[in-house]
Amino acid sequence: MSLPSIERNLRRALLDPDFHRKHFVTGHALPGERHGRLLYPQTKTVNAVERLIANARLQRKGPRSLVVRSARQTMKNDVDATVICRLLHRYRKAGGIVIRTAPSYSPQLLNSRRRIEWMVARDLLFHASGEPVWRYGHMLCHDKVEVHLLSGSRGGNPEGATASLLLSVDEAHRFDRGVFEDRFGPMVA
């Protein structure tokens, strides 16, 4: 394969989640599964989320909030980990911050971390650009882009972060609305 075709495929993978998953994500089945994860309906969600993020960042217009609601066992965490990994790729040079929050650090944010690590380990684009590094136990860094895992529990202290790319909320219905607005609302202002 020539260098121009490799570069063309890398650019296409950054723009097209389907192409990325099919050609650069290996072993995307968990132990005991027969088929890989992120089938068409989930990939469609990833595409929609990415388009809205790109439009909001580039054009500074469009919805400031996007709500993706899913029933239990519909691979929400897989979709979230995929979106986060793709943002790590797409914004590694430009920079930005993704905030992932949940009502508790354990088990919810630890499960999110495990899913992100699982996705990073199987994504060949990270093998080419270098794998992201965890800092301070809650921050994943890849060049100039960061993912912060911040607990929304009453004892948590998430103040000071800015969600310039994405504020992803797991189990939003379990948050105390006042606590959420006070601690996380300013992150997207």
Side-chain angles (χ1 to χ4, degrees):
M1 188 178 272
S2 68
L3 186 58
S5 66
I6 292 171
E7 289 173 346
R8 190 171 43 253
N9 285 334
L10 289 173
R11 280 193 301 275
R12 183 172 174 197
L14 291 177
L15 297 173
D16 182 352
D18 288 324
F19 184 82
H20 179 195
R21 181 182 53 83
K22 288 175 188 170
H23 299 284
F24 290 93
V25 178
T26 63
H28 47 283
L30 289 174
E33 288 184 332
R34 296 188 61 174
H35 303 288
R37 301 173 81 73
L38 286 181
L39 303 173
Y40 179 72
Q42 291 78 24
T43 304
K44 210 168 144 181
T45 303
V46 170
N47 290 343
V49 171
E50 281 191 9
R51 274 194 309 276
L52 289 167
I53 291 169
N55 287 341
R57 276 188 60 83
L58 295 175
Q59 300 169 10
R60 295 286 184 217
K61 59 183 175 182
R64 297 300 298 159
S65 297
L66 165 69
V67 177
V68 178
R69 294 181 63 166
S70 299
R72 293 197 177 275
Q73 307 304 318
T74 56
M75 299 172 57
K76 295 181 296 290
N77 290 325
D78 295 85
V79 168
D80 191 71
T82 301
V83 168
I84 287 172
C85 285
R86 291 191 46 78
L87 290 173
L88 286 169
H89 288 304
R90 292 188 74 177
Y91 294 98
R92 70 180 254 257
K93 295 294 182 196
I97 298 174
V98 172
I99 304 293
R100 172 73 168 159
T101 187
S104 70
Y105 189 79
S106 177
Q108 290 156 322
L109 286 176
L110 290 178
N111 285 335
S112 292
R113 178 178 172 149
R114 186 176 55 88
R115 187 68 71 205
I116 293 167
E117 289 171 344
W118 177 85
M119 190 64 75
V120 165
R122 284 155 182 79
D123 190 333
L124 298 177
L125 290 181
F126 285 119
H127 294 243
S129 65
E131 290 197 13
V133 177
W134 287 99
R135 296 193 178 127
Y136 313 112
H138 73 281
M139 185 187 307
L140 183 63
C141 303
H142 189 51
D143 286 346
K144 294 180 180 177
V145 67
E146 302 171 354
V147 176
H148 298 215
L149 303 180
L150 302 177
S151 174
S153 67
R154 288 202 181 267
N157 187 17
E159 285 88 2
T162 301
S164 61
L165 292 174
L166 176 68
L167 172 60
S168 174
V169 183
D170 189 19
E171 301 287 342
H173 65 283
R174 294 182 182 255
F175 272 92
D176 176 277
R177 185 175 182 158
V179 171
F180 181 83
E181 290 300 327
D182 180 53
R183 293 183 181 174
F184 293 96
M187 292 181 183
V188 294

